[in-house]
Every structure is written in structure tokens, then in C-alpha cells.
Amino acid sequence: MKTFSRYIKIYWKIVKANTSLVLVYRFNLLTYVLATTSWAIFAVIAVLLYSRQVPTLAGWSRNELLTLTGVFAVVTGFSYTFFLVNFMDLPEKINTGELDVLLTKPLDSQFLTTMFHFSHANISRFLIGISILVFTFQNHPISLLTLAGFILLLVSAVVILYSIWLLLVTLNFYTRRLDNVIGFLLELFDQTSRTPSDAFRIANSWAFNFLLPLFMVVSFPTKALWGKLSGEMMATTVTTAIVLFVLSRKFWQYSLRHYSSAGG
């Protein structure tokens, strides 16, 4: 418990340090917030226009598609705020030797390398996602049990995304040709997660199985809110999150033991 409290205090200092830096570049923050807000508006308008022409998409109604948009914004907003910048920078740190400096600190290396930067700009994405969900469910009451299951799946979704990122970035210890791997994953995630998982199941069962972990990030929490996710799939999602986190951490620790710095 003392260790957990210590890391919370350390992370709060990291957030304050990042905040001081952001205040120097307020215009950049404002520009990003406006861009994120515009994206959300266009995403909602796209769903509304599409649903006027076609009542359902792979069995998903207008409100379910709006929920999918909201969940996507919530998950990406949270993940991008806390993790994304760190994962984008990590390959360069590994290849240039900057990682060596962080490894000398008396802190857990995974914590320090994946949570050193805090992105204030992406908080707006998270808040917009919450707003979309509140708007969508204002006339659809949700039980406490459903809400609890949804929150559990959201946590699992963030853990799955974090673990996949960590697994892929750790490969940079073995080759320097994977600098753009996070960019590729972001593009894949962006293209698949805003589409209902059932659309892929109908089109191609192989593609559905291959992309299943990514569907767990957005589609499954959305289905849970509407009572369309089985208990078995919910348990599978939580189990997948735990397994991927343990696997990614073990792989990170193993790779660090065999890391001899960029000059070694």
C-alpha cells in the first residue's frame, strides 16, 4: 500500500510538471481541443445522416452507433491522455539510448517509460465521449449492475490497448525497423473500432477473430450497455486484459534484462 501511495504522489508531480509545460503553449492546447470537438461533431452528424438512410448497420441501431462513437472517444481519450505520447516516443528512446537515463531512476521502469508524459489536450476527447453517452442514454435508464459491468469492461479495454502497445513497442529492443508500429496500430484501431464488430463477423469470420482484441476495446463495452453482451464474452474480455497485461509486463522485463543500451 505504501508503494502504491508513493507512485500516486510521484505521478501527481509528473502531471504538475507536464501542466507547467502546457501552460507555456496554451494556443496549441486550444487548437487541439477545437479539432477534437470538431471531430466529435462530425462523427455524430455522420451517424445521424447514415441512420436516416439505413435504419441499422449489421443490426446496430442509431443509438447503439452513437454509443459506439461515445465509447470510442472515452477509451481513446483516457488512453491517449495517459499513455500515447509515451509509447510514440519510446522507440526513439530505445534506439538513441535516452532510455538509459530513465533506467537509472529508482522507480519501476515500465511505470516511468509509459507514464512519463501526460497529454492534457486529450482530456477533451474523454469529456466529449462522456457527453455523447449521457446524451444518448438520457431517455434510456441504465441499471447499476449494467453500469458496473460497463465500467469493468472500460477498464479492461484500456488495459488491453495499453498491453498491445507495450508488446509491440518492446519489439524495438530487438530491431530498429519498427519505429512506426504504434502509428500503424493507431490507424488499424481507428479504422476498426468505430465499426460495429458484427459487421466484421458478417463479412469475414477470419477478420473478426484476428481483430477480436480490438473489438473488446470499444464494441464490447457498447454492447454491454445495451444488454447485448453475454456473460461469457464479458468474462473473456476481462481475462484477455489480465493475460495481455501479465504477458506484456513479462516481455518488457525479459527484454530489459537483455538490453545493452543503444551503444552496446
Side-chain angles (χ1 to χ4, degrees):
M1 188 64 183
K2 289 184 178 180
T3 301
F4 179 77
S5 177
R6 173 173 174 252
Y7 274 89
I8 290 295
K9 293 178 181 178
I10 291 173
Y11 189 69
W12 179 240
K13 291 181 180 179
I14 291 175
V15 171
K16 289 196 294 185
N18 279 268
T19 301
S20 299
L21 184 61
V22 167
L23 292 177
V24 178
Y25 303 99
R26 296 184 183 89
F27 182 75
N28 291 344
L29 176 63
L30 178 60
T31 301
Y32 188 89
V33 170
L34 291 175
T36 302
T37 304
S38 299
W39 164 84
I41 292 173
F42 282 118
V44 171
I45 290 176
V47 171
L48 295 177
L49 291 177
Y50 178 86
S51 58
R52 287 186 63 183
Q53 302 297 323
V54 182
T56 62
L57 173 61
W60 288 52
S61 66
R62 170 188 290 184
N63 283 337
E64 289 168 345
L65 292 174
L66 285 173
T67 304
L68 185 72
T69 302
V71 172
F72 177 83
V74 168
V75 173
T76 55
F78 186 91
S79 300
Y80 294 3
T81 296
F82 291 97
F83 314 128
L84 180 62
V85 176
N86 301 283
F87 283 117
M88 294 291 285
D89 291 345
L90 193 50
E92 183 179 357
K93 284 185 171 66
I94 294 174
N95 295 332
T96 61
E98 291 181 45
L99 178 64
D100 299 4
V101 178
L102 295 178
L103 294 179
T104 62
K105 307 298 182 181
L107 295 169
D108 182 85
S109 61
Q110 183 178 328
F111 165 81
L112 195 57
T113 54
T114 62
M115 301 186 71
F116 189 74
H117 296 289
F118 181 90
S119 175
H120 295 76
N122 281 292
I123 296 176
S124 61
R125 182 186 291 262
F126 176 83
L127 296 177
I128 288 171
I130 294 294
S131 300
I132 293 174
L133 292 178
V134 171
F135 170 77
T136 305
F137 282 90
Q138 59 182 340
N139 296 320
H140 300 275
I142 304 174
S143 68
L144 289 178
L145 183 61
T146 299
L147 184 60
F150 172 68
I151 293 174
L152 177 62
L153 287 174
L154 279 184
V155 173
S156 300
V158 171
V159 172
I160 288 173
L161 200 56
Y162 172 92
S163 301
I164 292 176
W165 279 342
L166 183 60
L167 281 169
L168 292 177
V169 169
T170 303
L171 291 174
N172 281 274
F173 282 114
Y174 305 96
T175 176
R176 298 186 180 185
R177 299 179 180 179
L178 296 173
D179 291 357
N180 296 321
V181 67
I182 291 298
F184 169 75
L185 178 61
L186 284 174
E187 183 65 25
L188 178 64
F189 176 68
D190 184 68
Q191 295 298 322
T192 59
S193 295
R194 287 187 291 173
T195 303
S197 57
D198 296 298
F200 287 87
R201 185 192 294 272
I202 294 172
N204 191 317
S205 59
W206 180 88
F208 176 83
N209 292 328
F210 177 75
L211 297 171
L212 185 59
L214 294 182
F215 293 143
M216 290 178 175
V217 174
V218 178
S219 283
F220 283 16
T222 301
K223 295 177 77 170
L225 268 181
W226 289 98
K228 293 186 174 182
L229 188 70
S230 66
E232 180 182 357
M233 290 309 299
M234 182 178 292
T236 299
T237 302
V238 175
T239 302
T240 299
I242 295 172
V243 170
L244 281 176
F245 181 78
V246 172
L247 181 62
S248 63
R249 179 160 178 80
K250 292 293 184 182
F251 186 42
W252 170 264
Q253 292 173 333
Y254 172 83
S255 299
L256 274 185
R257 287 197 296 270
H258 295 80
Y259 172 64
S260 57
S261 85

